[in-house]
Amino acid sequence: MLELKWIQDKVGKSQYYLSRHGDQERKNDNLVITEIEEAILNGRIIEEYKDTGRGESCLVAGFTGQGKPIHVVCAEMEDDLLIVTVYVPTPPKFKTIYERG
């Protein structure tokens, strides 16, 4: 499975890609790239997925520097990080940033 340290290292080195779907979801939630990076860098893995069609992935939950909660689904793509999707978790799907509704 993906490790948080590896994910954070890739973000710190700008060795990641944002999928088309992820970019569209980012725009839908009015998120900027730096907010996504902040959320990953101070986040934690809250769910792991064995195979979602792109191989193993995980859900990272974190906050921006301004305190906005963000979820980021991460996967590995040819030794780089792929950000599959991003969104702001909201009820009723999520009770809190770390807990499903």
Side-chain angles (χ1 to χ4, degrees):
M1 293 308 294
L2 296 173
E3 294 184 18
L4 184 60
K5 182 179 179 339
W6 180 85
I7 293 168
Q8 292 171 332
D9 286 347
K10 291 297 182 178
V11 169
K13 295 175 183 173
S14 296
Q15 294 176 333
Y16 66 90
Y17 299 93
L18 187 60
S19 72
R20 267 188 254 157
H21 172 75
D23 193 46
Q24 186 58 54
E25 292 300 307
R26 174 189 71 78
K27 291 174 185 172
N28 290 347
D29 281 356
N30 297 311
L31 298 170
V32 295
I33 298 298
T34 54
E35 290 177 312
I36 296 166
E37 291 173 345
E38 290 170 352
I40 291 171
L41 291 173
N42 72 52
R44 68 182 194 202
I45 295 174
I46 61 168
E47 294 180 358
E48 296 179 319
Y49 314 115
K50 290 187 188 259
D51 191 347
T52 58
R54 296 179 191 242
E56 293 178 350
S57 60
C58 65
L59 176 60
V60 175
F63 292 90
T64 67
Q66 300 298 315
K68 183 188 301 182
I70 297 179
H71 278 180
V72 185
V73 176
C74 300
E76 184 176 355
M77 184 177 80
E78 299 177 10
D79 201 39
D80 285 327
L81 175 65
L82 173 64
I83 296 175
V84 178
T85 193
V86 299
Y87 56 90
V88 175
T90 56
K93 193 169 184 175
F94 291 92
K95 289 185 203 176
T96 71
I97 186 173
Y98 305 114
E99 185 180 15
R100 287 194 181 268

